[in-house]
Amino acid sequence: MQQEVVLAMLAKEPSHGYELRARLRQALGPLGDAMNDGQVYVTLTRLERAGLVESEQAAGLPDRPDRKVYALTADGQQRVAGWLAEVSWPRPDLAEFHLKLIAAAAAGLADPVAIVDAQRRELLRRLRDAQLAAMAEPGGSPVGLLLEGVVLRLQADLRWLEACERTWAGRKDRS
Amino acid sequence: MQQEVVLAMLAKEPSHGYELRARLRQALGPLGDAMNDGQVYVTLTRLERAGLVESEQAAGLPDRPDRKVYALTADGQQRVAGWLAEVSWPRPDLAEFHLKLIAAAAAGLADPVAIVDAQRRELLRRLRDAQLAAMAEPGGSPVGLLLEGVVLRLQADLRWLEACERTWAGRKDRS
DNA sequence: CGACACATGTAACACGTTACATGATTTG
DNA sequence: CAAATCATGTAACGTGTTACATGTGTCG
């Protein structure tokens, strides 16, 4: 799960895989459920191979399995600092849907307007879910904030779908 | 670039790599500039290996290199139909930024509010660019529609950043 | 002559995902 | 006894990305 994220969590303090996984889940709230359990370990292994972290065996709780505690190397710290300074932002991934409409219309396989409609119903469902989840979180909490972002996004996407419907409905009339 | 997209473009009519690439670029407008030239061929090769398309050598324009024309197999057609019926939607990728703020605050490496600020400046720049690009497109064109989606997204993200700033500024006061 | 349109690829790499595999201890 | 918690991994796969590599014909 995103090497930078794991690195940044280690910047706070050295830790082991199991705990990182738990911290991630906690920070993501309901969105963390999609995570795969083994993923963190894969990422840690690769980070170690890349020389960004180092591991050390450490005793766990009494009568508990030992832990493998990872800490940042100098390279790792630099990478984290770079990541924090970065202003990258995932570019909107609307292109796929856009191309779907174009392809459907061009190939005559499906009605673009119907596709938009189906998509809107799906997004409305997700919006409802996100709003419910947001209400379950205490206001002002980080997880609540994240869910608010999801809601704002979905609302923007729904408005876009309306624009899509208007445009494609118009195109059909003219063809 | 997304196997389904390539498949769907072939659903309209059999075609060769170079043309697909051109059609993609045209459909994406300014967003198509990020594409890598060799990518389409990689995708086509893998699709053929997977039995979703078949290729045939065909004569190109006079005195031009030959083309390798790809067409959908029955499996490929089914896959396209399935894709069109799907209501998948990329889940919002806000988690990374969210985790960045949490990590910055926890590790004390950077001021979350400063990060939010830098990010806002970046998004405002992108918003301006997208609006300029949108104005260059004829109204009602597919590319213009896509750019409108990008603008709506950016506006929603900017509103989210404002919420982030309020929340994190509040947290700082209390710490 | 140099740039551009036409046309095709490959090799290597990074990364996320999935599924599988193990084993102790506490709690109901 | 079964389930959950603590704790770790690996092998294989799909796919996007990058960089490199090649060749002709036309147009200015």
Side-chain angles (χ1 to χ4, degrees):
Chain A
M1 243 257 140
Q2 232 100 301
Q3 306 196 331
E4 271 90 2
V5 170
V6 173
L7 279 178
M9 308 210 84
L10 286 176
K12 187 192 172 193
E13 55 188 358
S15 185
H16 56 108
Y18 192 84
E19 196 187 44
L20 287 174
R21 203 176 68 190
R23 284 210 272 159
L24 265 177
R25 274 188 188 280
Q26 200 214 334
L28 292 178
L31 276 68
D33 297 345
M35 278 183 27
N36 183 292
D37 284 348
Q39 220 169 298
V40 174
Y41 299 104
V42 176
T43 303
L44 284 171
T45 307
R46 290 176 184 170
L47 286 173
E48 190 166 26
R49 200 190 36 176
L52 297 170
V53 302
E54 282 167 345
S55 63
E56 196 187 345
Q57 214 67 221
L61 298 175
D63 294 330
R64 283 293 177 185
D66 277 358
R67 298 160 171 173
K68 205 165 163 186
V69 173
Y70 289 87
L72 292 186
T73 63
D75 274 10
Q77 284 169 17
Q78 214 176 329
R79 178 86 145 246
V80 170
W83 184 61
L84 290 177
E86 231 174 64
V87 285
S88 72
W89 195 262
R91 21 195 89 268
D93 35 13
L94 306 166
E96 186 180 330
F97 185 72
H98 179 247
L99 290 170
K100 188 189 274 202
L101 293 181
I102 290 179
L109 284 175
D111 177 15
V113 175
I115 292 180
V116 172
D117 252 42
Q119 197 65 59
R120 175 168 43 225
R121 277 191 296 276
E122 169 69 13
L123 290 198
L124 282 170
R125 243 198 42 225
R126 291 199 196 178
L127 179 59
R128 222 183 37 225
D129 291 350
Q131 284 172 327
L132 280 175
M135 282 193 297
E137 297 293 328
S141 74
V143 173
L145 186 61
L146 176 56
L147 288 169
E148 190 179 332
V150 172
V151 167
L152 286 169
R153 268 278 179 93
L154 286 171
Q155 288 171 337
D157 290 346
L158 280 165
R159 259 181 290 137
W160 184 55
L161 285 183
E162 280 169 36
C164 286
E165 183 146 25
R166 279 195 302 275
T167 299
W168 285 98
R171 300 214 140 225
K172 191 165 54 174
D173 293 347
R174 260 181 281 132
S175 70
Chain B
M1 243 259 140
Q2 232 99 305
Q3 306 195 333
E4 271 89 2
V5 170
V6 173
L7 279 179
M9 308 209 84
L10 285 176
K12 188 191 172 195
E13 54 187 358
S15 186
H16 56 107
Y18 191 84
E19 195 187 45
L20 286 174
R21 202 175 72 191
R23 282 210 273 161
L24 265 177
R25 276 189 187 280
Q26 200 216 333
L28 292 178
L31 277 70
D33 296 345
M35 280 184 25
N36 183 293
D37 284 349
Q39 221 168 297
V40 174
Y41 298 104
V42 176
T43 304
L44 284 171
T45 307
R46 290 174 183 171
L47 287 174
E48 188 165 27
R49 199 189 36 174
L52 297 170
V53 301
E54 282 168 345
S55 63
E56 197 188 345
Q57 215 65 223
L61 299 174
D63 293 330
R64 283 293 176 186
D66 276 359
R67 299 160 169 172
K68 206 166 162 186
V69 173
Y70 289 88
L72 293 185
T73 62
D75 275 8
Q77 285 170 16
Q78 215 175 330
R79 178 84 145 249
V80 169
W83 183 62
L84 290 177
E86 232 174 65
V87 285
S88 73
W89 193 261
R91 22 194 87 269
D93 34 13
L94 306 166
E96 184 180 332
F97 185 73
H98 179 247
L99 291 170
K100 186 187 274 200
L101 293 180
I102 289 179
L109 285 174
D111 178 17
V113 176
I115 292 180
V116 173
D117 253 41
Q119 197 66 59
R120 176 168 40 227
R121 276 192 296 276
E122 169 70 13
L123 291 199
L124 282 170
R125 242 199 40 225
R126 291 200 196 176
L127 179 59
R128 220 185 35 226
D129 290 350
Q131 284 172 328
L132 280 176
M135 282 193 298
E137 297 292 328
S141 74
V143 172
L145 186 60
L146 177 56
L147 289 169
E148 190 179 334
V150 173
V151 166
L152 286 170
R153 268 279 180 94
L154 285 171
Q155 287 171 338
D157 291 346
L158 280 164
R159 259 182 289 138
W160 184 55
L161 284 182
E162 279 169 37
C164 286
E165 182 146 27
R166 279 194 303 273
T167 299
W168 285 98
R171 303 216 136 223
K172 190 167 53 175
D173 294 346
R174 262 179 280 131
S175 72

